Amino acid sequence: MSNPALLVLYGSQTGTAQDTAQRLARQAQRRRLRVRVMPLDDYNVANLITESLVVFVCSTTGQGDPPDNMKNFWRFLFKKSLPAGSLSQLDCAILGLGDSSYPKFNFVAKKLHKRLLQLGACVLLPVGLGLLRCQLFTRLCPEEVQLRIPMDQTVPSQSHPFPARMVFNRRVTEPSHFQDVRHIELDVTGSNIEFAAGDVVMMRPCNAPEDVQQFCQLLKLDPETRFTLSPTDNTAVPARLPQPCTVRHLVESYLDIAAVPRRSFFELLSTFATNELEQEKLAEFSSAAGQDELHNYCNRPRRTMLEVLADFPHTTAELKVDYLLDLFPEIQPRSFSIASSLRAHPNRIQVLVAVVCYKTKLYKPRKGLCSSWLASLDPAQGDVYVPLWVKKGSLKFPSDKETPVIMVGPGTGVAPFRSVLQERTAEGRTANVLFFGCRSKSKDFYFRTEWEEMMEAGFLTLFTAFSRDQVRNTLLIIVFVQEAKVYVQHRVRDNGELLWDLIANKNACFYIAGNAKQMPASVCDALKEAFQQAGGVSAEEAEQMLATMEKTGRFQSETWS
């Protein structure tokens, strides 16, 4: 291949694959390759038969699903009518990105690799899972492009969100509790939005006003200044930005200045440095040898891009406004499980949001961008609107009225189960079992009154685990003993007979939602132990039984880190 044209196509959910694709494209340009880069769903897949060299960069979401901006491409590529040798002219490589702790780690990249081979493509390298092979490029650099998702415009979408009026924003944890959790309702009247239990609502947050002000001060920008963007070679103007646009709108609604920067940020920032000390430090953070130092400076304390700019004032003063879209990624939408049913709350979407706030070695507490933004909105002070759209979630609930549903949802993981319980209650379905866990019965027992009403009406069997409410039953307090905490997995284990009967004899479906740390694995272990004790099966048979349930959709999980 002599000086071929390179096409980089990416499927990205949170922006990581997009960033990696842009770094690849920049490196290709340095090697004097002609390069194009775009989301997979912005590319006319029918043209793939004419391409000579393509790199696919893709992540995996949910239960092994492709990202939103490659779903149309995915459906087309897996059409059975495509001829076996249709991509015989194509040389390609696949890079998969993801979290290795998830069961479906890099499922999309692996499946794409297999399908491209079936269609006759020549895959130049073994599929790269999580790490880019050094044979492809030795160094990576950043660049920013437009992210657009072509969708049916009759319903709200990422490119055309619906401005939903906030009805209420209530704290549902006790004031003394360390965690601020909000129950929020949004009015979607007139939006054409429909959803089912298990679906998620997408929202794109804004930066805090004080951060916008500091950013403009650091770069000596007037927030009210208007500008017009023009496209450059291979880089389109972001469709979300109005033309003309104010600096305030750009910084508040588009640039992710509160993100923790990647190595590529320092690589580009270093090109503006004229101060010797700052240039030296930026070069170190950009180098392969300096990655431990960069981790200690940025990733471990969760230092933001804005804070980095403040730490490098001389370089920040040299920044050219033309490079802001290259330097800062776009604010990515956040997803929340819908915690209500249209049957119970017509024209409304409700969510349960844990406001992220924690300390690191830095003086200022770290805050979640979206949760803090939502918490700051107060409809009591006047109308507040949140742009949103809805997409299908990974949890699918049974349509058969008689199928029992077992749900394990500690903390805010209970949100999608409130949605399905409202639906099933409205339909008269009574075979519902919920395992709910939190710290304290008096401080963070979400929707307690609703669960009690459902139990009294015969629609719910509820098991609770309050991990900090254990009381020592002893007269001697001299000996210091770590009190055993009770979690949802203990309640699952304690109720093995009921679960075995529902699953083995009544074809029940089992669901887990919540934090992805130890809880899902612990619940699975408890369930397998219940199979062994109540069903008398071996450890191997219990493992196989759970695997079969997962394969047939009777065991599903939706977890987040």
Side-chain angles (χ1 to χ4, degrees), residues 521 523-533 537-539 542-544 546:
V523 170
C524 288
D525 290 342
L527 185 59
K528 287 182 284 189
E529 193 173 316
F531 290 167
Q532 293 173 66
Q533 292 181 355
V537 300
S538 67
E543 187 84 44
Q544 183 57 47
L546 192 59

Side-chain angles (χ1 to χ4, degrees), residues 498-519:
L498 170 65
L499 297 180
W500 174 259
D501 179 53
L502 290 173
I503 292 170
N505 301 324
K506 298 177 181 174
N507 213 36
C509 295
F510 193 98
Y511 300 87
I512 300 174
N515 196 291
K517 290 181 181 174
Q518 291 87 25
M519 184 274 295

